[in-house]
Amino acid sequence: GDSRWRKRSYKPGAKAPDAPVNAPFYWGIKGADDGEKVYDGKKNMLKEVQKHLRIPYFLSEKPNKHEVFSSPEFWLNAPEAGAQAHMDSHCQPTISLQISGTRRWRLSWPPKAEKFFKAPRFMDGSVYKAQGGWKAPYSFNISAGEALIMPPAFIHESRNVGGTCASALTLQFNEPGAGAYVRTLLPRLRRTGDFSECWSMVNRWAVLSTGKAKAANTAQQDTKFAQDSWKTVLKKLDKDSSGDISYVESLKGGQQASDGLLFYDVNFDDRLSSKEFVEGFKKWAEVERQVRNEQSEKWNKKTWKLEL
């Protein structure tokens, strides 16, 4: 392989205590990124890496193989190098496998958002510039042979705190999905532009991928739409005619249907009842209606504060 990354250093310019001093070397093997071309511009390196990938023992193979095998990224960190705090745009949970060395991670929840922001705000290092800076509530080390599993839209930072190279592999997976997490933080995530790639996905969850969800003008109209949609859900997914939907039944409807069940399953019994669906849909529609009536707020870097 190309060892030039060991001799290069790029200082990202983050003026924040404990932030990474240098940027890592990123090998975007999941796509035809520049990092891949450094190694071999003609050979399909993704296929070469896939030969050595395995589904982690704690994940089901069938629903996860495609996502896991199409999402590998390598991170090679010289001492003190790492990724500045940022929020990724993908919708699936991430697993980071530490191959060698030790990295310190700092994490925080998606910040509160009182207004709708269409444009992304949480690019590399931007949170350091907020008033009062970024105070991560979680900080810990991950060493070789250990792994971190992280839900989507978490703000995260990594830094090599050892004296040797710290290498890691990151992957995304589909199941178990992040439905309950998104439900809990929906008012924040729906107003966060960095999560915009996932808004249409959540809309499909709202009707378990059995039609097109829409938020009406009033809560009363939402109730009627939810009740009608539930009839469609039962018709398409209720194979045992029990009057509710089991998680196993939702899997027959595809990934969006099973994620939708988790999105509404407030009692965590892996079953979706009519009450859970209608009440959950009304809450989703209320957030959609609020955002629809809000104008996209402009990001003022001078007065920006992070409320976690």
Side-chain angles (χ1 to χ4, degrees):
D2 191 317
S3 61
R4 286 177 291 172
W5 68 273
R6 298 185 182 184
K7 302 176 183 179
R8 297 174 178 171
S9 65
Y10 169 67
K11 296 185 182 299
K15 297 179 179 179
D18 298 323
V21 176
N22 297 313
F25 184 90
Y26 168 71
W27 186 19
I29 189 66
K30 67 179 181 180
D33 296 339
D34 289 339
E36 181 179 337
K37 295 176 183 177
V38 168
Y39 285 83
D40 190 333
K42 297 180 180 179
K43 195 172 186 179
N44 189 326
M45 293 302 294
L46 176 58
K47 289 186 177 180
E48 293 299 312
V49 169
Q50 287 173 337
K51 292 178 182 179
H52 303 280
L53 284 179
R54 301 292 184 272
I55 303 298
Y57 70 90
F58 50 84
L59 294 177
S60 299
E61 181 163 346
K62 186 175 179 180
N64 288 307
K65 185 172 182 179
H66 175 75
E67 186 65 34
V68 168
F69 275 55
S70 62
S71 63
E73 302 169 290
F74 287 95
W75 302 84
L76 306 175
N77 302 261
E80 298 302 323
Q84 295 185 69
H86 66 285
M87 179 186 292
D88 292 324
S89 61
H90 52 70
C91 312
Q92 295 80 17
T94 293
I95 178 169
S96 178
L97 305 164
Q98 195 66 31
I99 300 171
S100 66
T102 299
R103 288 192 298 171
R104 184 208 58 199
W105 285 83
R106 295 198 296 168
L107 309 176
S108 68
W109 296 86
K112 293 180 181 178
E114 300 299 331
K115 296 292 183 180
F116 171 54
F117 286 86
K118 185 177 182 179
R121 291 185 294 161
F122 306 116
M123 296 78 73
D124 289 355
S126 64
V127 296
Y128 304 140
K129 302 173 184 177
Q131 280 195 11
W134 177 57
K135 298 178 177 63
Y138 306 107
S139 180
F140 49 86
N141 290 348
I142 296 291
S143 297
E146 297 178 330
L148 165 69
I149 297 178
M150 181 172 58
F154 250 53
I155 295 178
H156 55 284
E157 171 199 88
S158 63
R159 177 179 177 179
N160 181 359
V161 293
T164 60
C165 170
S167 58
L169 168 66
T170 60
L171 307 157
Q172 278 78 56
F173 60 90
N174 286 323
E175 186 188 294
Y181 163 82
V182 174
R183 177 186 70 238
T184 304
L185 296 177
L186 185 62
R188 299 185 184 194
L189 296 175
R190 186 57 183 89
R191 292 176 168 89
T192 302
D194 307 74
F195 196 67
S196 62
E197 291 184 13
C198 311
W199 293 339
S200 61
M201 177 194 71
V202 178
N203 290 356
R204 293 191 292 274
W205 290 1
V207 288
L208 273 68
S209 196
T210 60
K212 186 175 182 180
K214 65 177 181 179
N217 294 321
T218 67
Q220 185 176 7
Q221 292 172 325
D222 289 333
T223 300
K224 177 64 167 59
F225 184 88
Q227 291 170 341
D228 291 341
S229 296
W230 178 245
K231 295 176 184 177
T232 302
V233 170
L234 288 178
K235 184 177 180 180
K236 294 187 176 182
L237 300 177
D238 185 18
K239 302 303 181 182
D240 62 2
S241 300
S242 63
D244 58 14
I245 306 298
S246 69
Y247 185 72
V248 173
E249 286 176 324
S250 72
L251 290 172
K252 302 296 183 181
Q255 188 67 46
Q256 303 299 336
S258 59
D259 284 345
L261 185 143
L262 297 177
F263 183 61
Y264 287 137
D265 183 21
V266 294
N267 63 0
F268 300 100
D269 66 349
D270 287 339
R271 300 192 73 87
L272 180 61
S273 67
S274 171
K275 181 179 179 180
E276 284 177 316
F277 180 83
V278 172
E279 293 302 313
F281 183 91
K282 288 162 61 178
K283 291 178 180 178
W284 167 83
E286 177 60 27
V287 172
E288 285 294 309
R289 187 161 44 250
Q290 291 172 358
V291 171
R292 189 169 63 201
N293 294 330
E294 293 172 1
Q295 290 187 342
S296 180
E297 195 79 2
K298 291 186 178 180
W299 177 26
N300 189 330
K301 295 182 180 180
K302 294 182 180 180
T303 60
W304 185 38
K305 294 182 180 179
L306 284 180
E307 293 185 66
L308 304 176

